[in-house]
Amino acid sequence: EAVVQEFRPAQVGESFGPTWETCWFKVELSIPLAWAGREVHFVWESDGEGMVWRDAQPVQGLTKEGEKTSYILTRSLKESEPHSLTLYVELACNGLFGAGKGSMIAPPDPDRRVTLSKAELVVFNRDVYELLVDLEILLDMAQLLGEENQRSFQALYTANQMVNVCDVTDPSTFPAARDLAAVIFSQRNGESQHTIHAMGHCHIDSAWLWPYEETIRKCARSWVTVVHLMEHNPELTFACSVWGVLVLIPVLWQAQQFEWVRSCYPGLYARIQDFVAKRQFIPVGGTWVEMDGNLPSGESMVRQFLQGQRFFQEQFGQICSEFWLPDTFGYSAQLPQLMRGCGIQRFLTQKLSWNLVNSFPHHTFFWEGIDGSQVLTHFPPGDSYGMLGRVEEMLKTVKNNKDKGRVNHSAFLFGFGDGGGGPTQKMLDRMKRMSNTDGLPRVQISTPDQLFSVLEKESSQLCTWVGELFLELHNGTYTTQAQIKKGNRECERILHDVEVLSTLAVAGDRAFQYPASQLQQLWRLLLLNQFHDVLPGSCIQLVVEDALQYYTEIRRAGAQLQDEAVQSLCRDLLQPEARSSQSTLVLNTLSWERTEVISRPGPDGADTLALVTVPSMGYALVQEPFVPPHPVAVRKQEDGSITMENGIIAVCLDTMGHLTSLQLLDSGRESVPDGCYANQFALFDDVPLYWDAWDVMDYHLETRKPVTTLLKPLEITLAGALRGSVRFSLQVGKSSTLTQEIILDAGCPYLRFLTQVEWKEAHKFLKVEFPVQVRSTNATYEIQFGHLQRPTHWNTSWDWARFEVWAHKWLDLSEHGFGVALLNDCKYGASAHRNILSLSL
C-alpha cells in the first residue's frame, strides 16, 4: 500500500507530522564502486521512530533515543552485491516515549512535528569503533574501581599507553593499541568471583504514553532489530578463543505482543519462531500481558496465565517456567499459589527497588503466598531492566546485592526498554570485553533457565518473605481513572455470569453451542486492558478512550451471549403459556441461595419491587412475591434526620447524609462511635512529587477537609415496606457535585450507598470515611481468592508506608464477636487507620 503511493522530494531538516501520523520515504541508494571491501551503512536520524523496509520486509528499527540510527547494508562490499537499491523508511511521528509536551509524562502535544536531521550513506570504520569501545571500558575501570584497587591503575596506564601508540591518521597503529587492551581483558578472575547472567531484554509497554496501535509497530521495530543482531552474532567470540562462545538471547514475555506481530508481520514472526526453536529467542512470563499485579480478580489472573501459557504452547511448543513481571506496581500475596498452579516456580521483577520508604531486604529469596506456596524469586541487583552493559552497572550489580554469601549469581537485563528498542551491538561488545576480566565480575550471556537453575542449586540458605510484595510508591494507581476501574470490575462479573449460564445451558441442552471462541476474544480484550499502565490509569487519554471502548464491546457482546444462554436454559419457562404476565424469571449466578429485593417491570411499565429467593447457581420464576416478615420503617425526625429500620439493623442519618448510628438490633451493638460521623466525605490535596497519575504521597493526609457544602438536604425517596431510601447532594471542591442515595432493603443486613460524582477537580483526592466502634490492630482486605491482613497502626516505617492500600470487593475491621465491613462494586483504593475505614473514590 505504501509503495504504490506518489512520493515527493524531501530534504534533511524538513519536519513532518502531526503527532501519531505516519510518513513513508522512498530512499534510492547508489554505493560508489570505490567503496569495495568497505562496511557500508545507511544512516537515518530523526525525532520519530522509524522502520527500514527492504524487499517488502521490515529489516531494521530506527530510534535515535534507543541508539539505533543505522542499517548495515554490507559488512564488506563485494563486486557481486547490488550497488544500487531502494529502501523504504516508515516514520512514526512520535518518539520512543510518545509525544509529551515539555515532560515525558505530560499529555501528548497533538501538533508536535518530527524533524529529519540526517539521511546519509556512509563507510563505517569498525577498527576505530572497536578501539573506542576498548578505551571506554578501560577508562570506566580506571574511574570506578577506586584508588585502593591496583586494577584501576593498570587500566589507566594501559589506556594512556594506547593513546601514545595510536596515531589517528595511521590505521596501521590501531592493532598495536588494541593488543594492549587485550592484555588487560585477558587477565582472568578468581573462581570465587560473582557471576552476572546477562540477558538481552526488550521491555515494551503494551500501551502507556502511546496507544495500543503504536505498540504493534514498536514490537516490530524492536524485534526485527533483535533478530538482525542474532543473525549477525551467532557466535560472539573475542580475540582470545579461551573466552568461549557468547550467544545473544533476548527475553520477551507478553503473549499479546507475539500475537500482534504474528498477525501484522508474518515474515518477521516466522524468523522469530526459528530463533525460538534454536533456544536463542526465549519467551518468558507466561501471561497474556504484563498485567497489574494487584487489581485484576483471581479469575482474571488465572486467565492471564491460561491465555499466555496456551499461546506459548501452541506457537512455540513450550510453556514458561518463569513469571516475568519487572514493571508492575506491587504484587499480590496470592500470586505464588497462582504461579504454582500454572506450572511456574520462578519469579523475576525489580520494581520494589522503587520503594520510597523502605529498602527491600533481599534480591534472591523464596516468596511465600497466603496458602504456603513458594516460588524462587530474584530481583536483578542492578535495580533495572534497561541496562546498557557499562562497567558501572556491573559493579553496582555486585555491590548492591543484598544476598552476598547466600548466592553468587545474579541477573543483568540489558537493552532499551519501556518504549521498546532492546539491546544494541555496542552493549554486546562491551560485555564481551568483561566476560572474565580480573577486577570485574564474570559476565556471561545467559538464559532465565540457566540463571534460575544455578540459583536453585545455591538456595539452601535463602530467606523467605511471606505475604504481599507491596510497592511503597504509585498508591494513586488504585484509584486513578475511575471509569476504567468500574469497567474492569463490571466486565469481570459479566464474563463470569456468561460462563456460568452457558455452562448450565450446555448441561441442560446438548444442542447449545458453548461460545468458547467468543468468550476467548472477550477475555483477551479484558486481559489486554489489565496491562499495568491501563488498568492503573497511568496512561494517556487515547489509551483511556480505547480501553473504555473495549469495555463497551465486552458489555454488549456479553449481554448478547448471556441472553442466548438464558434463552436456551429457560426456554420452557420463557414461553408465554408457561408464565403469567405478572411472573418474572430471576437468575442467581452466585454459589449461595439469595433472598433480596429486586426491581422488575410492572404491568403498567413502571418498575415495581419484589422480595425473592433464588437458589444457588439457579433460577426461580417469581409470580406472587412474598411479604417480608419485618418491613422497612422510615421515619423523619423533628431535627430533619431520618431513621430506617428493617428488623436486622437500624440506622440514623443527619441532614448532611452522615451516618450517625448503625445498630445491630439483635445485640443492640452500636457501630458508629459517639460524636463521630460515618459516610463522611473528605477532600485532600493531591500534589505528588512527580508521577502525577501514579502517586499520592503520605503528606496528602495533612490536608484533609471534610465536605460540608450541602446542595440538597436529606429527603425520603422511598417510604419503606420492601425498601426505604433517602437522597442528598453535596458540593465537592470548587465545581464538583455528589449525589448519594442510601438504601435499606427488607431482610438485608447491610446498608447500600449509591454514589454519583460529577468530578471536575484537579489535584484533589476524594474519599469517604467510616469511623467504627471496633478495636483491632489489623484490618482484613479481600484479595484474589482470599484475604490479607494489614496493620491499622503506624508503629514502623513498613506500617505507615501502607497509608493507602488496595483491596477488591471488601475490607473488614473486626474484634471478637463483632465487626464492620465496607463493600464496594467498583473501587480498589482503601485504608484502615485506627478505627476509620476509608474508601478512595
Side-chain angles (χ1 to χ4, degrees):
E1 186 178 337
V3 170
V4 298
Q5 302 299 313
E6 289 189 19
F7 291 86
R8 65 166 179 82
Q11 303 292 326
V12 170
E14 193 172 347
S15 295
F16 305 90
T19 306
W20 311 124
E21 287 293 310
T22 299
C23 299
W24 284 85
F25 296 81
K26 182 178 182 180
V27 183
E28 295 177 337
L29 303 175
S30 181
I31 305 174
L33 296 174
W35 289 4
R38 310 294 292 276
E39 182 172 338
V40 182
H41 291 195
F42 166 58
V43 174
W44 177 281
E45 288 188 15
S46 75
D47 302 320
E49 295 189 90
M51 173 84 90
V52 179
W53 292 74
R54 184 173 183 175
D55 300 325
Q57 290 297 322
V59 292
Q60 176 67 50
L62 298 169
T63 306
K64 187 176 181 181
E65 297 149 295
E67 296 182 5
K68 296 177 181 69
T69 57
S70 66
Y71 168 53
I72 302 174
L73 296 170
T74 175
R75 294 181 181 271
S76 179
L77 183 63
K78 299 179 180 62
E79 188 176 340
S80 59
E81 290 184 276
H83 285 54
S84 297
L85 66 155
T86 299
L87 304 175
Y88 291 88
V89 176
E90 177 188 12
L91 179 65
C93 296
N94 52 267
L96 190 64
F97 294 100
K101 188 172 185 177
S103 166
M104 179 179 73
I105 64 169
D109 179 355
D111 299 316
R112 179 173 169 178
R113 302 179 72 81
V114 299
T115 302
L116 176 59
S117 55
K118 188 179 290 186
E120 298 175 349
L121 195 61
V122 302
V123 170
F124 184 77
N125 193 323
R126 191 156 293 276
D127 290 335
V128 172
Y129 164 82
E130 299 287 359
L131 194 60
L132 289 172
V133 176
D134 287 344
L135 281 167
E136 177 194 284
I137 301 297
L138 290 171
L139 291 173
D140 281 352
M141 289 175 65
Q143 287 180 314
L144 299 168
L145 289 179
E147 291 186 4
E148 70 282 359
N149 192 325
Q150 69 170 358
R151 285 293 281 174
S152 67
F153 288 95
Q154 291 173 355
L156 177 63
Y157 282 102
T158 298
N160 188 63
Q161 285 180 284
M162 290 172 66
V163 172
N164 292 337
V165 167
C166 180
D167 181 351
V168 295
T169 65
D170 183 4
S172 67
T173 63
F174 297 173
R178 292 211 62 209
D179 287 344
L180 292 169
V183 172
I184 289 285
F185 297 143
S186 63
Q187 291 169 340
R188 299 287 170 255
N189 267 311
E191 291 186 8
S192 66
Q193 185 61 269
H194 188 86
T195 299
I196 289 176
H197 293 248
M199 292 170 252
H201 197 255
C202 185
H203 181 257
I204 305 175
D205 286 327
S206 292
W208 179 30
L209 304 175
W210 51 87
Y212 285 126
E213 192 174 31
E214 185 59 32
T215 307
I216 301 173
R217 298 200 294 180
K218 282 179 173 288
C219 292
R221 285 192 288 263
S222 300
W223 295 2
V224 75
T225 303
V226 168
V227 167
H228 187 68
L229 273 176
M230 287 191 293
E231 288 172 342
H232 290 90
N233 292 272
E235 299 179 342
L236 297 175
T237 57
F238 195 57
C240 299
S241 60
V242 291
W243 281 32
V245 175
L246 304 178
V247 182
L248 169 63
I249 304 188
V251 175
L252 300 157
W253 63 94
Q254 298 187 61
Q256 171 68 84
Q257 295 182 357
F258 280 103
E259 175 62 23
W260 280 334
V261 172
R262 186 177 75 88
S263 300
C264 301
Y265 299 87
L268 171 59
Y269 189 75
R271 293 162 71 190
I272 290 172
Q273 285 183 305
D274 289 341
F275 281 105
V276 171
K278 296 174 185 175
R279 298 294 297 166
Q280 284 182 258
F281 208 106
I282 309 293
V284 297
T287 52
W288 187 244
V289 298
E290 189 189 347
M291 77 280 193
D292 182 83
N294 299 321
L295 308 187
S297 69
E299 187 60 36
S300 288
M301 283 192 167
V302 170
R303 300 306 175 105
Q304 288 283 357
F305 285 106
L306 173 66
Q307 293 292 334
Q309 293 285 56
R310 178 182 290 169
F311 182 88
F312 291 129
Q313 180 66 52
E314 290 175 352
Q315 294 298 313
F316 306 119
Q318 62 189 50
I319 64 171
C320 301
S321 57
E322 298 88 16
F323 184 33
W324 208 267
L325 204 62
D327 193 31
T328 291
F329 314 143
Y331 305 88
S332 167
Q334 183 59 281
L335 274 170
Q337 182 181 8
L338 297 182
M339 281 186 254
R340 294 300 295 252
C342 298
I344 292 175
Q345 301 85 37
R346 302 156 167 179
F347 176 54
L348 181 143
T349 185
Q350 61 80 46
K351 197 64 178 185
L352 264 67
S353 66
W354 285 47
N355 272 8
L356 203 60
V357 181
N358 299 286
S359 177
F360 194 79
H362 302 294
H363 282 103
T364 306
F365 58 99
F366 285 106
W367 180 23
E368 185 174 304
I370 60 174
D371 74 321
S373 296
Q374 290 189 347
V375 290
L376 179 59
T377 301
H378 182 68
F379 298 172
D383 295 340
S384 174
Y385 50 74
M387 296 294 201
L388 304 178
R390 302 296 298 260
V391 170
E392 180 180 12
E393 297 165 340
M394 302 298 175
L395 296 176
K396 179 183 178 182
T397 295
V398 177
K399 181 180 180 181
N400 203 39
N401 184 12
K402 294 189 174 77
D403 296 283
K404 298 182 185 76
R406 296 190 180 100
V407 291
N408 205 26
H409 295 256
S410 59
F412 183 92
L413 309 181
F414 66 94
F416 289 98
D418 291 336
T424 67
Q425 185 68 52
K426 181 174 281 190
M427 296 175 193
L428 291 168
D429 292 336
R430 287 169 180 152
M431 289 184 290
K432 280 193 294 184
R433 289 156 171 82
M434 291 184 272
S435 175
N436 191 1
T437 296
D438 186 24
L440 299 176
R442 282 196 181 91
V443 181
Q444 66 180 53
I445 302 295
S446 186
T447 68
D449 181 64
Q450 289 172 352
L451 168 67
F452 278 102
S453 293
V454 71
L455 290 178
E456 286 166 351
K457 292 176 183 177
E458 297 182 344
S459 65
S460 62
Q461 298 185 63
L462 290 179
C463 299
T464 299
W465 181 270
V466 179
E468 66 181 329
L469 297 175
F470 185 85
L471 178 65
E472 297 172 355
L473 193 69
H474 296 352
N475 315 60
T477 60
Y478 316 145
T479 305
T480 298
Q481 293 293 349
Q483 288 300 319
I484 284 183
K485 306 295 193 291
K486 182 179 176 69
N488 179 73
R489 185 77 64 79
E490 285 186 356
C491 290
E492 287 177 335
R493 177 186 56 77
I494 288 168
L495 293 182
H496 166 272
D497 289 353
V498 169
E499 291 186 335
V500 167
L501 295 170
S502 297
T503 302
L504 293 173
V506 167
D509 182 3
R510 292 187 177 181
F512 179 79
Q513 293 293 313
Y514 188 84
S517 61
Q518 299 100 308
L519 278 167
Q520 174 166 282
Q521 291 173 2
L522 297 179
W523 266 112
R524 287 184 171 183
L525 273 185
L526 179 59
L527 299 181
L528 174 60
N529 273 355
Q530 289 173 350
F531 180 74
H532 72 257
D533 278 311
V534 180
L535 180 53
S538 50
C539 53
I540 61 173
Q541 181 181 344
L542 277 175
V543 179
V544 173
E545 292 169 355
D546 285 344
L548 295 181
Q549 183 178 343
Y550 291 162
Y551 290 136
T552 299
E553 172 59 20
I554 294 169
R555 290 185 183 102
R556 184 201 62 76
Q560 181 178 338
L561 292 175
Q562 184 171 298
D563 185 61
E564 291 170 1
V566 171
Q567 292 293 330
S568 174
L569 180 64
C570 306
R571 183 181 297 110
D572 295 339
L573 295 174
L574 293 172
Q575 299 299 322
E577 61 273 13
R579 46 182 291 201
S580 72
S581 60
Q582 298 299 308
S583 63
T584 303
L585 180 66
V586 184
L587 296 102
N588 175 18
T589 57
L590 298 180
S591 55
W592 59 89
E593 181 182 270
R594 294 160 66 190
T595 298
E596 295 180 14
V597 175
I598 65 165
S599 176
R600 61 174 183 165
D604 59 353
D607 285 349
T608 61
L609 299 176
L611 182 63
V612 302
T613 297
V614 186
S616 158
M617 293 285 186
Y619 53 84
L621 194 61
V622 179
Q623 294 181 337
E624 295 298 327
F626 61 86
V627 177
H630 196 299
V632 179
V634 182
R635 299 181 182 89
K636 189 166 186 176
Q637 309 300 314
E638 291 184 2
D639 61 359
S641 65
I642 296 174
T643 62
M644 296 192 290
E645 180 261 317
N646 67 355
I648 302 173
I649 59 175
V651 303
C652 182
L653 299 139
D654 71 10
T655 56
M656 290 282 295
H658 296 134
L659 182 62
T660 58
S661 175
L662 172 61
Q663 195 175 81
L664 189 61
L665 292 176
D666 65 352
S667 66
R669 177 72 183 259
E670 174 60 56
S671 302
V672 180
D674 289 342
C676 292
Y677 294 137
N679 195 39
Q680 171 66 66
F681 293 94
L683 198 62
F684 300 80
D685 292 343
D686 179 22
V687 186
L689 297 176
Y690 178 67
W691 300 98
D692 205 346
W694 290 255
D695 285 346
V696 57
M697 314 309 294
D698 58 343
Y699 53 75
H700 86 284
L701 296 170
E702 301 172 12
T703 67
R704 178 182 179 275
K705 297 179 181 65
V707 176
T708 58
T709 304
L710 187 64
L711 295 179
K712 292 183 180 179
L714 192 72
E715 61 180 2
I716 298 172
T717 50
L718 283 176
L722 287 179
R723 173 173 292 171
S725 67
V726 296
R727 181 184 290 122
F728 67 95
S729 296
L730 302 173
Q731 180 175 323
V732 180
K734 291 184 177 180
S735 49
S736 299
T737 58
L738 181 152
T739 300
Q740 187 178 72
E741 185 177 14
I742 304 174
I743 298 171
L744 181 63
D745 283 341
C748 186
Y750 54 82
L751 191 62
R752 282 195 294 151
F753 302 84
L754 302 184
T755 310
Q756 182 166 347
V757 180
E758 292 293 328
W759 186 248
K760 299 177 182 178
E761 306 304 300
H763 292 111
K764 298 293 181 182
F765 195 176
L766 179 65
K767 302 184 184 184
V768 62
E769 301 167 344
F770 290 83
V772 295
Q773 201 157 284
V774 177
R775 181 171 176 80
S776 177
T777 56
N778 289 288
T780 306
Y781 302 78
E782 189 203 23
I783 66 170
Q784 298 84 355
F785 297 134
H787 60 267
L788 185 72
Q789 289 195 327
R790 300 183 179 110
T792 57
H793 56 75
W794 292 346
N795 283 359
T796 72
S797 60
W798 293 90
D799 299 331
W800 68 258
R802 287 170 164 81
F803 61 87
E804 176 80 5
V805 298
W806 62 274
H808 281 194
K809 294 187 289 293
W810 54 264
L811 62 151
D812 165 270
L813 192 65
S814 291
E815 59 189 41
H816 179 70
F818 186 79
V820 179
L822 181 58
L823 289 72
N824 76 86
D825 66 355
C826 62
K827 297 297 172 184
Y828 296 91
S831 66
H833 184 225
R834 309 291 289 182
N835 70 323
I836 299 177
L837 300 177
S838 177
L839 192 66
S840 299
L841 304 180

